[in-house]
């Protein structure tokens, strides 16, 4: 484990403090108020995952940035079927700056490649009208942070996203609904991929 126990406590504390602010962000954007307990639970789970799997402090800050933006954007996507540029786009330069600050060209190239591949794949889906352009932009951001961890994490994140999204699609067909938000599947899939990476390395 990269982080000592004290940082798990710090990460959990920061997540619980951030929860109300992210809830207010969702409320301002949608006029709907998510359950604060659920927001805090998701923030806490994300914080503990980051404390466990972050590849160093810079990666941890990048993951925290994406997680904060993702929690709010994911809820907005559920309510309004959109991923706001105001939440997704500002995270790009910060994550890129943190990547550059590592001084590791191999890590930078891998993360950039994963971001480009993710955007290309989702761009194809967008071109065929299967997903929105907001998903394409989110794919690039998630590719940066998962690719920063490893190729395995990025591949697992994509696979998990496809599995979760596929399950959602089946549920939509069964219930007769017209569409569903894909952003939460992408965010959850990326979290699952990063969490599962150690076992992929063993296999």
């Amino acid at each position: 484990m990269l982080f000592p126990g004290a940082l798990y406590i710090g990460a959990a504390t920061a997540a619980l403090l951030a929860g109300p602010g992210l809830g207010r962000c969702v409320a301002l954007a949608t006029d709907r108020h998510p359950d604060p307990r659920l927001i805090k639970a998701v923030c806490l789970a994300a914080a503990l995952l980051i404390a466990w799997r972050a590849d160093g402090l810079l990666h941890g800050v990048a993951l925290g940035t994406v997680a904060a933006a993702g929690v709010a954007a994911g809820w907005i996507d559920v309510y309004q079927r959109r991923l706001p540029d105001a939440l997704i786009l500002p995270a790009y330069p910060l994550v890129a700056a943190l990547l550059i600050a590592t001084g590791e060209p191999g890590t930078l190239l891998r993360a950039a490649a994963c971001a480009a591949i993710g955007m290309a794949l989702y761009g194809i889906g967008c071109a065929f009208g299967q997903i929105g352009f907001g998903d394409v932009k989110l794919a690039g951001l998630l590719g940066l942070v998962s690719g920063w961890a490893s190729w395995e994490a990025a591949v697992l994140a994509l696979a998990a996203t496809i599995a979760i999204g596929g399950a959602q699609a089946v549920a939509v067909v069964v219930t007769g609904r017209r569409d569903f938000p894909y952003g939460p599947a992408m965010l959850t899939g990326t979290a699952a991929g990063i969490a599962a990476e150690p076992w992929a390395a063993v296999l």
Side-chain angles (χ1 to χ4, degrees), residues 123-150:
I124 294 171
C126 182
F128 283 94
Q130 300 301 308
I131 57 175
F133 191 52
D135 298 320
V136 178
K137 288 176 278 190
L138 180 60
L141 185 61
L142 296 178
L144 278 178
V145 291
S146 61
W148 186 331
S150 68

Side-chain angles (χ1 to χ4, degrees), residues 49 52-53 152 156 191-203:
L49 173 62
W52 172 42
R53 293 300 305 139
E152 291 84 358
L156 286 169
I194 291 173
E197 182 206 4
W199 291 276
V202 171
L203 296 175

Side-chain angles (χ1 to χ4, degrees), residues 95-104 108 148:
V95 173
L98 291 167
L99 259 172
I100 293 170
T102 65
E104 300 174 359
L108 177 60
W148 186 331

Side-chain angles (χ1 to χ4, degrees), residues 41 75 91 113-114 140 157 168 174 178 187 199:
W75 246 280
C114 288
Q168 283 184 291
V174 170
R178 292 189 305 170
L187 292 160
W199 291 276

Side-chain angles (χ1 to χ4, degrees), residues 4 24 37 45-46 73 93 111 120 133 151 162-163:
R24 284 192 292 272
R37 295 167 297 182
F133 191 52
W151 288 109
I162 292 172

Side-chain angles (χ1 to χ4, degrees), residues 81-130:
R81 303 297 191 270
R82 66 185 181 92
L83 292 163
D85 286 349
L87 291 172
I88 303 302
L89 296 185
Y92 269 94
L94 177 55
V95 173
L98 291 167
L99 259 172
I100 293 170
T102 65
E104 300 174 359
T107 301
L108 177 60
L109 289 174
R110 183 178 65 231
C114 288
I117 292 169
M119 292 186 77
L121 291 175
Y122 279 82
I124 294 171
C126 182
F128 283 94
Q130 300 301 308

Side-chain angles (χ1 to χ4, degrees), residues 11 14-15 18-19 22-23 26 39 42-51 59-75 87-88 91 94-95 138 141-142 145 183 187-188 190-191 194:
L22 294 176
V26 174
I39 286 269
V42 172
C43 289
L44 180 60
L48 294 178
L49 173 62
I50 291 167
H59 189 211
V61 174
L63 285 171
T65 299
V66 174
V71 167
W75 246 280
L87 291 172
I88 303 302
L94 177 55
V95 173
L138 180 60
L141 185 61
L142 296 178
V145 291
L187 292 160
T188 305
T190 298
I194 291 173

